[in-house]
Amino acid sequence: MIQKPTTAFADSKPHYEILDGLRGVAALLVVWYHIHEGFAFAGSVNGVGNGLITSFNHGYLAVDFFFILSGFVIGYAYDDRWGKGFGQREFYRRRLIRLHPMVVMGAFIGMVCFFIQGGTMWDGKEVPLSAVVLALFCAMFMIPALPGSSYEVRGNGEMFPLNGPAWSLFFEYIGNILYALFIHRLATRTLTWITVVLGVLLVAFTTFDVSGYDMLGVGWTLDGVNFFGGLLRMLFPYTLGMLLARRFKPMKIRGAFWWCALCLLLVFAVPYLKVDGPISLNGVFEAVCVVCVFPLLVCVGASDNLSGKRSTWLCRFLGRLSYPLYMIHYPIFYVFYAWLIKNHRYSLGASWGMVVVVMIVTLGTAVCVMKFYDEPVRHWLAKKWPARRSS
C-alpha cells in the first residue's frame, strides 16, 4: 500500500502521496482562513465588532493536522533506522535541510512586507530599523520574541512578528529534538500511554477553556498559558501521529484524497460554537477534531493508492507547495490587513477584488519560492552537507 517515491533524495523512504496532497489542501484552507481573520482583525482595530471570525472559523486547526501528519511521516520514515548507522546528527541534518530554508525566506519576506506596510506597529507607532533587523535575526534563528520586547515590532504579542505562523515551526523543532533524544527509543506501549495522557490534558485544556480564548488557537505568543498550550498542542498530535505510524493497518478505501479533502473543508467551515457555561462547546468540537477526526483522515489517506495522472500530479504538486505557501503567505497578508484597516473593509463582499489580487500574489509567490528557492537550496544543502554514518 506504499506509493512510489515523490522525493528527489534517493536514500529516503517513499512518501504517501495522498498525505502530501492533504497537506497541500490544509495549507490552502489555512490561507483562506487567514483571509477571514483579516476582516475580523481590521474590525477590531477600528472598533467595529468584537474581533470574532464569523465564517470559516476553524481554519487554524490545520496546524494540528500538520502536527499529526508530521508525527506520522517522521515515525514512518525514521523509527526503524536508529542504531543502523543512523543517529541524531543525521536526523537533525535532514530536518534542518527540510525546514530551515523556508524559515529564513519567510523571515526575509516578512521584513520586506513590514516595510511595504509602512514600518509601523498596528497602533501606528514608528519602529526603529535596528528593532526590525533584530527581529529578522531572531526569526532566522528561531528565537521567539517576548510580548512587549523591542523586536516585537507589530505590537500584538507574536513570537515571530515578521512571520506569525513561524510559531508552529518553533514547536515543530522542539518535537524533532524530543523525538531524536528519546521518543524514538520508547516501546510502543510506553508511547501509547504517553499519548493517552497528553490527549487527556489536551481535551481538558480545550473543554474547560484554560486559555480563556474559547478555542484551541494558542501557541502563537509567549503570553499567559500560550507556551504550555502550544507545547501541548504540538506534543499530543505529534506523538499520536508516531503511534499511528507504528500501529497503522491499511483499510480498503477508494477516492480517499477527495473524501478527506472534503472532510477538512467541512470541519474548518463549521461556525464558532458559542455556549455560556463552564464547558466550552467550541473547545469540545475542536478536541474531537484533533483526537478523532484528523487521525482517521491520516489513516484513510495512507490506505489508498492514487489512480490517474491528474490526481497523482495534483497531490504531488500540493505536497511540494504546502510548506512554502504556509511559510510565505502571512507576511503578504500583513499588507492586506493594513489595507483593510485603512479602507474600513470588514467582509468578503466589501473587498473581494483585493482578495482575488492577494490570493493570486500569494499563490504565485509560493510557486516561485518553491521552484527557484526552496527545492534548489535543499538540493544544494544536501550536496554540501552530506550524510555521515554514525558509529
Side-chain angles (χ1 to χ4, degrees), residues 215-264:
M215 59 185 289
L216 190 52
V218 296
W220 54 275
T221 178
L222 292 177
D223 191 26
V225 299
N226 269 273
F227 178 79
F228 170 77
L231 190 63
L232 184 58
R233 191 179 176 188
M234 177 276 295
L235 281 175
F236 170 68
Y238 194 68
T239 55
L240 178 59
M242 292 175 180
L243 185 62
L244 290 176
R246 293 188 185 187
R247 294 184 174 274
F248 174 65
K249 294 181 180 179
M251 301 173 281
K252 293 183 178 180
I253 303 292
R254 297 188 64 181
F257 171 72
W258 302 104
W259 286 114
C260 291
L262 177 61
C263 185
L264 285 174

Side-chain angles (χ1 to χ4, degrees), residues 114-227:
F114 182 75
F115 287 126
I116 292 174
Q117 177 194 324
T120 64
M121 292 186 175
W122 291 119
D123 62 4
K125 182 180 178 181
E126 293 289 336
V127 178
L129 176 61
S130 59
V132 180
V133 173
L134 180 57
L136 175 65
F137 175 85
C138 290
M140 287 181 171
F141 288 92
M142 297 303 290
I143 302 171
L146 293 171
S149 61
S150 63
Y151 58 99
E152 200 270 286
V153 295
R154 294 191 183 275
N156 60 336
E158 290 172 291
M159 271 193 196
F160 300 98
L162 295 179
N163 189 14
W167 73 265
S168 63
L169 270 296
F170 174 78
F171 285 108
E172 174 85 12
Y173 275 21
I174 292 176
N176 287 177
I177 292 170
L178 294 178
Y179 172 75
L181 290 177
F182 74 92
I183 292 178
H184 75 274
R185 304 175 185 271
L186 298 177
T188 300
R189 183 175 181 180
T190 304
L191 180 60
T192 300
W193 279 110
I194 290 175
T195 304
V196 169
V197 171
L198 290 169
V200 170
L201 290 174
L202 182 73
V203 170
F205 186 88
T206 57
T207 300
F208 298 107
D209 191 21
V210 174
S211 67
Y213 295 167
D214 200 25
M215 59 185 289
L216 190 52
V218 296
W220 54 275
T221 178
L222 292 177
D223 191 26
V225 299
N226 269 273
F227 178 79

Side-chain angles (χ1 to χ4, degrees), residues 99-119:
L99 297 176
H100 213 74
M102 282 309 309
V103 170
V104 173
M105 177 57 74
F108 177 76
I109 293 177
M111 182 187 67
V112 172
C113 289
F114 182 75
F115 287 126
I116 292 174
Q117 177 194 324

Side-chain angles (χ1 to χ4, degrees), residues 306-317:
L306 286 170
S307 60
K309 293 183 179 179
R310 292 182 180 179
S311 296
T312 301
W313 177 87
L314 179 62
C315 283
R316 290 178 178 178
F317 176 75

